[in-house]
Amino acid sequence: MEVNSNNIYNLLSANVEYRIPHYQRQYSWQQKPQCEELWQDIERIIEANTGDAPKQLNHFIGTIVMVQLQDDMGMTDYDCYHLIDGQQRLTSISLVIIALRHYVQRELEHSPQEQNYIDLCSALNGLLYREADTASGSKLFLSKADQQALESLLSGQVSLNSKPEENASLLIRNCYFFYSKWVSFFNKNKAKVPLSEQTVKPLFERLLFAQIALDPSNKDNPQQVFESLNSTGMNLTQSDLIRNFLLMNMDLETQREMYQRYWVKMEDNLKQNLADFPNSKADLDLFFLNFLTSRLGEIPNKEDIYTKFKEWFRKNVAPQYENSEDPAAADKDCLQQLCDAHTVWCRMYWSQGDSRDPIDRACYELRLLDRDVLNPVMFELLYDQHLGRISLLALQWSLRFLCSYCVRLFSMIERVSNLMNKHFTALLRKLNNTVVNSEDMYLRTLIGHLCPAPDVKLGRIDEKLKCPQDKDFRNFLCSHHFVTIQDKPYAQFMLLMAERYQNKEYSILKGPFVLDYVLPAKLSDDKALELTVEQGWDEELIKLAGHREWSDRLGNLTLRQTNDKKPLPINKATWLSFKARKEELAKQLKRHVNCELQGPKEQWTEQDIRARGERLADWLLQVFPYPDINDFYQDKSKS
């Protein structure tokens, strides 16, 4: 390994190619802050190094790491290097050069005989092409998608005279950014900064960097050097580091094949889902967080995902291939595992409530609980079914049980969220340690952890997180006041699930829904409505004490389908009478939730709220049943 100081002019003047390995991420610098900061540095260098008293100002841009390519015989190609680190900076500087060349060519159109312009154009071509006179053979080779954009800029197919569209390649948009900066700069400084090779060449000579050249024949480890660097620019994500770890030490052809077959498939799958769900913030790092949590039985810190992944790989994947003749066998197998797991994770994370598939619907319903701690458990269940550890029926039953457990738990016990992480990661460890392909043991482990038998000795956390029995759950539903910020989302979720249960009209139940009330949630004040007996409201209900007792009980709650999440104004005209309110609510959720509001009923009383609450509570016991493995085997025998 050689470490030397160098400058951009010397690097790009050499008649060699710099290739971006397949495992590297695509070009990702944004106009703010990265390109803006680079331009500010360039402008300072030009201004400091021109004029009557130049200051000879240098600027250090970081580290560039490269390794000479080798052919199949192990011979070094001295004309071609792989860029291990520095792609973003070198690509951006190349865009600066292309933008400047475009500006010079525009000036040449007005002054075709200006020798300074001709010489400068030729010098800039020498930094971009291996053969400057013929303008062929780009010195920089990026990933496939980026390379097409780069070649279109080099060939002049893309004009920089007008602003590109928002969906244009990032390279094209950034090149236009630098071009507009050159135009603005020379409009202000052309008199004191001549447009010539003698002015521009020192600019690139003042852009200094530390060059690290690795020698494969000395077994220099690119990955080890790559990890130890603290380069400028955009930090690599944890998934970037994982990708490089798995691909970096393969030969070029294998690297290209494995990258296209597995990693690109994951990226494309992610892009497609993000296109369908533009508000989602999911990325590959989130997938690896869930994957490692399910595999390790612990939640890694977001900054430690890569470190934990390497530990998992070296402990669980690499030992299987210690005697393999293929040095990349473990990496290949791991890439395939990750690709399969990512497909499963996407199905879980972006499940649809109107799907005909019961697994998709079950995942969707669990996702509605908006508890991130459930994602690794759901993924574990789906992935184990994918691996053949449990059947499709067992998966469906397990997801329903998990949903019942969470609803019963959060409905009965306050402030349990902080205990759930440890409880579920302990469950993941138990599931990973169960007998392979023993479905009965798998399901009993799941039930035994979340719903332990009375004679099982429990710790403090397990005791607090024990699934409530039917009697306790029903008493809670009938007597609880759903008034807190924590209560209302679960009331909303339970009512939606009550309507979806055994209902094939999934498409009309996708939402969004907001929690609503039959009797208005608030009594009138100076500016709000007045409730009267003549309007169909029971006399006891519209008294302050009666309203406080019954307005936020289960029997008075319902849902309203809406295009937004704003609550219905309490002074809306249809709320003045029970009849108008009933007619409005009876239009939706009429199968289970609002069946009492069908027909000629003219008054809403305490007895109606109590009876409806008890009926809904009994129905919710069926929707969220207490787990019994005998129910699973009965379903299995029927199927």
Side-chain angles (χ1 to χ4, degrees):
M1 179 172 67
E2 293 184 8
V3 181
N4 298 296
S5 61
N6 203 346
N7 64 67
I8 288 296
Y9 185 84
N10 288 338
L11 181 77
L12 293 179
S13 295
N15 193 34
V16 297
E17 294 176 3
Y18 302 103
R19 292 184 173 270
I20 306 301
H22 296 283
Y23 54 77
Q24 289 275 27
R25 62 180 172 177
Q26 289 185 315
Y27 179 70
S28 56
W29 266 25
Q30 302 296 318
Q31 289 182 14
K32 292 184 179 181
Q34 289 87 15
C35 292
E36 185 71 52
E37 290 175 355
L38 175 61
W39 175 257
Q40 290 172 359
D41 294 333
I42 288 173
E43 201 167 29
R44 277 197 298 269
I45 293 172
I46 296 177
E47 292 174 349
N49 291 284
T50 54
D52 298 333
K55 299 177 182 178
Q56 305 297 308
L57 178 68
N58 295 327
H59 180 70
F60 181 71
I61 64 170
T63 304
I64 293 180
V65 182
M66 59 187 68
V67 59
Q68 290 176 320
L69 294 184
Q70 291 181 314
D71 58 23
D72 295 337
M73 302 299 293
M75 300 299 292
T76 300
D77 183 354
Y78 288 99
D79 292 333
C80 195
Y81 289 83
H82 256 180
L83 279 179
I84 305 303
D85 185 58
Q87 172 202 174
Q88 304 294 326
R89 279 157 290 144
L90 193 57
T91 302
S92 296
I93 290 171
S94 296
L95 296 179
V96 171
I97 296 171
I98 295 172
L100 177 58
R101 186 191 65 171
H102 188 88
Y103 177 80
V104 176
Q105 289 173 337
R106 194 189 75 170
E107 294 298 297
L108 264 173
E109 293 176 0
H110 301 294
S111 305
Q113 303 303 319
E114 178 60 53
Q115 190 62 42
N116 279 342
Y117 297 169
I118 297 173
D119 293 343
L120 179 54
C121 239
S122 176
L124 294 174
N125 281 335
L127 300 179
L128 297 171
Y129 299 103
R130 291 191 65 179
E131 299 178 19
D133 294 337
T134 59
S136 63
S138 170
K139 289 186 177 180
L140 187 61
F141 285 84
L142 308 178
S143 63
K144 185 177 181 180
D146 287 341
Q147 185 64 21
Q148 292 175 348
L150 179 64
E151 289 176 357
S152 67
L153 288 167
L154 287 168
S155 64
Q157 294 177 2
V158 175
S159 173
L160 298 178
N161 295 325
S162 59
K163 187 176 181 179
E165 297 180 356
E166 286 297 323
N167 60 353
S169 165
L170 188 59
L171 278 92
I172 293 174
R173 285 184 279 133
N174 285 356
C175 194
Y176 173 80
F177 168 82
F178 288 124
Y179 173 70
S180 63
K181 291 295 184 182
W182 281 119
V183 171
S184 176
F185 176 80
F186 281 113
N187 284 343
K188 293 187 296 183
N189 300 285
K190 202 168 185 179
K192 62 179 180 180
V193 181
L195 190 59
S196 66
E197 182 181 1
Q198 290 73 26
T199 302
V200 173
K201 179 181 176 181
L203 161 65
F204 299 106
E205 291 177 329
R206 300 297 175 188
L207 292 174
L208 309 181
F209 63 92
Q211 177 175 318
I212 301 178
L214 305 182
D215 186 352
S217 62
N218 291 336
K219 297 183 179 181
D220 288 341
N221 189 328
Q223 179 69 15
Q224 189 175 18
V225 174
F226 185 79
E227 292 177 20
S228 66
L229 294 173
N230 182 24
S231 298
T232 59
M234 294 182 67
N235 292 330
L236 291 172
T237 65
Q238 298 294 297
S239 52
D240 287 334
L241 293 167
I242 291 172
R243 178 197 60 220
N244 296 359
F245 172 75
L246 293 173
L247 290 168
M248 187 174 282
N249 293 315
M250 296 179 183
D251 64 76
L252 291 179
E253 189 57 39
T254 303
Q255 190 182 96
R256 184 180 301 110
E257 180 186 355
M258 293 295 102
Y259 173 70
Q260 291 292 335
R261 182 185 298 179
Y262 298 121
W263 200 271
V264 170
K265 183 178 178 181
M266 289 195 292
E267 290 180 335
D268 289 345
N269 201 0
L270 186 66
K271 289 177 183 177
Q272 180 58 52
N273 283 292
L274 289 174
D276 294 338
F277 299 89
N279 294 327
S280 174
K281 297 182 180 180
D283 54 19
L284 283 177
D285 279 10
L286 182 60
F287 158 68
F288 280 110
L289 179 68
N290 283 262
F291 177 82
L292 288 172
T293 301
S294 73
R295 300 297 89 192
L296 301 174
E298 62 179 62
I299 304 175
N301 292 328
K302 293 181 180 180
E303 296 78 15
D304 295 335
I305 291 175
Y306 173 53
T307 301
K308 291 295 183 181
F309 176 84
K310 288 194 296 182
E311 293 175 2
W312 170 80
F313 174 85
R314 288 164 177 162
K315 182 179 179 180
N316 296 279
V317 182
Q320 303 176 45
Y321 297 93
E322 288 181 347
N323 300 320
S324 174
E325 296 181 358
D326 181 0
D331 303 292
K332 294 176 184 177
D333 179 59
C334 188
L335 281 167
Q336 182 175 358
Q337 285 187 50
L338 293 175
C339 189
D340 290 345
H342 186 257
T343 301
V344 172
W345 182 80
C346 286
R347 179 189 183 186
M348 177 274 296
Y349 196 82
W350 283 292
S351 48
Q352 290 296 288
D354 56 354
S355 171
R356 293 181 178 274
D357 190 324
I359 303 301
D360 288 348
R361 294 198 304 273
C363 289
Y364 167 81
E365 290 165 0
L366 275 164
R367 291 274 298 144
L368 287 178
L369 283 169
D370 197 25
R371 294 284 175 175
D372 290 342
V373 68
L374 290 175
N375 290 339
V377 183
M378 278 195 288
F379 170 73
E380 173 75 13
L381 295 173
L382 267 71
Y383 193 49
D384 281 345
Q385 190 276 323
H386 169 78
L387 296 176
R389 299 188 71 195
I390 56 175
S391 65
L392 201 60
L393 183 63
L395 171 61
Q396 186 176 348
W397 186 86
S398 298
L399 289 172
R400 187 185 177 197
F401 163 38
L402 184 62
C403 188
S404 295
Y405 171 78
C406 290
V407 170
R408 286 176 175 244
L409 186 68
F410 283 109
S411 295
M412 296 291 290
I413 307 171
E414 296 181 357
R415 299 183 183 89
V416 296
S417 300
N418 59 332
L419 303 177
M420 295 295 286
N421 286 341
K422 292 182 178 180
H423 196 57
F424 276 135
T425 52
L427 170 63
L428 292 171
R429 290 193 293 272
K430 288 182 180 180
L431 291 177
N432 284 327
N433 291 330
T434 55
V435 179
V436 177
N437 295 329
S438 176
E439 184 172 85
D440 180 78
M441 182 66 72
Y442 190 98
L443 295 179
R444 292 186 185 278
T445 299
L446 182 67
I447 294 175
H449 183 77
L450 301 181
C451 302
D455 57 345
V456 175
K457 186 177 180 181
L458 302 175
R460 180 183 64 85
I461 292 178
D462 293 331
E463 185 65 47
K464 286 189 176 184
L465 297 175
K466 188 175 180 181
C467 187
Q469 297 277 352
D470 282 355
K471 180 181 178 181
D472 295 327
F473 185 42
R474 189 183 189 281
N475 288 339
F476 172 85
L477 293 174
C478 292
S479 61
H480 190 65
H481 292 262
F482 292 88
V483 292
T484 68
I485 295 176
Q486 293 78 18
D487 286 335
K488 291 182 179 181
Y490 281 97
Q492 180 176 320
F493 177 78
M494 287 189 294
L495 290 173
L496 180 58
M497 294 304 102
E499 190 72 15
R500 287 176 64 88
Y501 185 58
Q502 297 181 352
N503 188 342
K504 294 182 180 180
E505 297 179 348
Y506 305 118
S507 59
I508 65 172
L509 295 172
K510 193 174 180 180
F513 290 92
V514 293
L515 195 65
D516 211 340
Y517 304 82
V518 182
L519 173 71
K522 295 182 180 180
L523 280 180
S524 61
D525 54 27
D526 293 340
K527 298 180 181 180
L529 59 91
E530 292 289 344
L531 302 179
T532 67
V533 175
E534 290 74 22
Q535 293 167 343
W537 307 109
D538 181 66
E539 183 176 2
E540 295 301 318
L541 281 182
I542 58 179
K543 293 179 180 178
L544 186 59
H547 184 275
R548 186 185 298 119
E549 179 63 28
W550 293 103
S551 63
D552 50 24
R553 293 283 194 96
L554 178 63
N556 191 54
L557 304 182
T558 185
L559 296 178
R560 175 171 49 85
Q561 198 163 13
T562 179
N563 293 326
D564 55 51
K565 295 186 177 181
K566 295 179 181 178
L568 196 68
I570 64 171
N571 59 350
K572 188 174 180 180
T574 55
W575 281 42
L576 290 176
S577 71
F578 169 68
K579 180 181 178 182
R581 185 72 180 129
K582 181 192 71 169
E583 290 175 353
E584 182 181 3
L585 292 173
K587 296 175 184 177
Q588 47 190 321
L589 305 185
K590 51 191 175 182
R591 180 183 291 268
H592 298 302
V593 172
N594 288 337
C595 59
E596 286 89 354
L597 301 177
Q598 314 296 317
K601 187 174 183 61
E602 296 181 355
Q603 192 176 37
W604 193 242
T605 68
E606 293 181 5
Q607 290 74 22
D608 293 321
I609 295 176
R610 181 187 290 109
R612 181 170 178 265
E614 291 178 351
R615 197 254 318 160
L616 285 174
D618 290 334
W619 183 241
L620 290 171
L621 291 179
Q622 298 181 54
V623 179
F624 305 109
Y626 190 85
D628 185 345
I629 200 169
N630 293 322
D631 294 340
F632 165 71
Y633 286 112
Q634 288 179 10
D635 293 341
K636 190 175 183 179
S637 63
K638 292 176 184 178
S639 62

